[in-house]
Amino acid sequence: DQQVKQNSPSLSVQEGRISILNCDYTNSMFDYFLWYKKYPAEGPTFLISISSIKDKNEDGRFTVFLNKSAKHLSLHIVPSQPGDSAVYFCAASADFGNEKLTFGTGTRLTIIP
Amino acid sequence: NAGVMQNPRHLVRRRGQEARLRCSPMKGHSHVYWYRQLPEEGLKFMVYLQKENIIDESGMPKERFSAEFPKEGPSILRIQQVVRGDSAAYFCASSPSAGLNQPQHFGDGTRLSIL
């Protein structure tokens, strides 16, 4: 039962353009959502998060949008840079006091110079 | 380096041996989470510990796997009598507290290979 889904295994974007990564979830109890970036042979690096009381959070080139009615969130990266090439994981947590994360399967983003 | 430290980075074991994976959380963090990543998959939650307490082990296999986070020293994930299917990357994450929606910070993982 995949409660967090990233339906695009890979995405290629031209340098300087916008990258949009999507994530869908099924568990309506999720109330905190995060995006992590992962390079090969390294651990996931936290990028940005959003609480369910918000619908948008911005940090520099990264913006996360949350649509609770659609159970959908997206990560926008603009402008995209070659160093953004990595695997991006969407994650969610549900329980106050126990923030165990449920991860999607990841989207491999490739930025084309 | 003030990040989450995991060792060893790579561990090779033969079937039937024991594997011990260590995790030192970030300074000031008292909550530790272990996750496992199989090839081409996302990370799967295994266990959540606070100092000297297991809070949630719902993701741990029922047999051969155990975890601890003693008052002093790193958190340990122990796998007894390893089998080929235990080959994976094991990641540890830490956070300073619970209930405040604070992101978890991850170590670089231990890659376990079973011969």
Side-chain angles (χ1 to χ4, degrees):
Chain A
D1 174 27
Q2 190 70 27
Q3 297 186 64
V4 177
K5 300 178 185 178
Q6 294 177 256
N7 291 319
S8 298
S10 62
L11 175 68
S12 294
V13 174
Q14 205 78 31
E15 181 179 359
R17 308 292 288 265
I18 183 171
S19 296
I20 300 177
L21 296 98
N22 294 302
C23 178
D24 297 293
Y25 61 96
T26 58
N27 187 345
S28 57
M29 298 300 292
F30 286 145
D31 60 3
Y32 183 52
F33 303 89
L34 309 90
W35 284 94
Y36 285 86
K37 172 182 177 179
K38 187 179 182 302
Y39 293 118
E42 294 185 11
T45 300
F46 170 71
L47 275 177
I48 192 169
S49 63
I50 188 167
S51 165
S52 60
I53 62 173
K54 294 185 173 182
D55 54 18
K56 177 183 175 182
N57 190 24
E58 195 170 352
D59 183 1
R61 296 187 299 115
F62 302 93
T63 303
V64 56
F65 295 92
L66 175 62
N67 182 335
K68 282 177 292 186
S69 60
K71 294 191 176 68
H72 177 84
L73 64 156
S74 60
L75 174 69
H76 293 210
I77 307 172
V78 56
S80 301
Q81 300 174 355
D84 296 331
S85 294
V87 177
Y88 288 78
F89 289 98
C90 168
S93 68
D95 298 327
F96 182 87
N98 178 358
E99 274 87 7
K100 66 182 179 185
L101 297 175
T102 300
F103 280 85
T105 51
T107 296
R108 183 177 303 276
L109 175 64
T110 302
I111 304 303
I112 304 164
Chain B
N1 187 345
V4 178
M5 302 300 294
Q6 289 189 249
N7 67 82
R9 291 293 310 275
H10 301 273
L11 182 60
V12 180
R13 285 287 178 266
R14 296 189 180 279
R15 281 177 292 172
Q17 291 184 319
E18 178 180 287
R20 282 188 179 230
L21 289 64
R22 293 174 183 77
C23 169
S24 296
M26 285 180 72
K27 188 175 182 180
H29 287 195
S30 58
H31 298 243
V32 166
Y33 302 78
W34 285 92
Y35 296 84
R36 175 165 66 175
Q37 184 183 26
L38 296 171
E40 305 304 322
E41 294 188 12
L43 284 72
K44 296 279 197 293
F45 167 77
M46 298 181 75
V47 62
Y48 163 37
L49 310 104
Q50 295 176 20
K51 282 287 188 182
E52 299 184 279
N53 287 306
I54 296 175
I55 307 302
D56 182 346
E57 55 182 348
S58 59
M60 290 276 270
K62 294 286 185 283
E63 298 176 346
R64 303 186 298 107
F65 285 72
S66 63
E68 63 177 8
F69 189 16
K71 186 177 179 182
E72 301 290 337
S75 175
I76 306 287
L77 179 67
R78 182 183 178 206
I79 312 173
Q80 295 178 289
Q81 298 177 317
V82 296
V83 301
R84 287 256 169 88
D86 297 333
S87 294
Y90 292 82
F91 292 97
C92 168
S94 72
S95 68
S97 61
L100 295 175
N101 283 343
Q102 299 192 35
Q104 294 173 25
H105 295 272
F106 283 80
D108 283 337
T110 294
R111 275 139 192 90
L112 176 64
S113 299
I114 308 302
L115 301 179

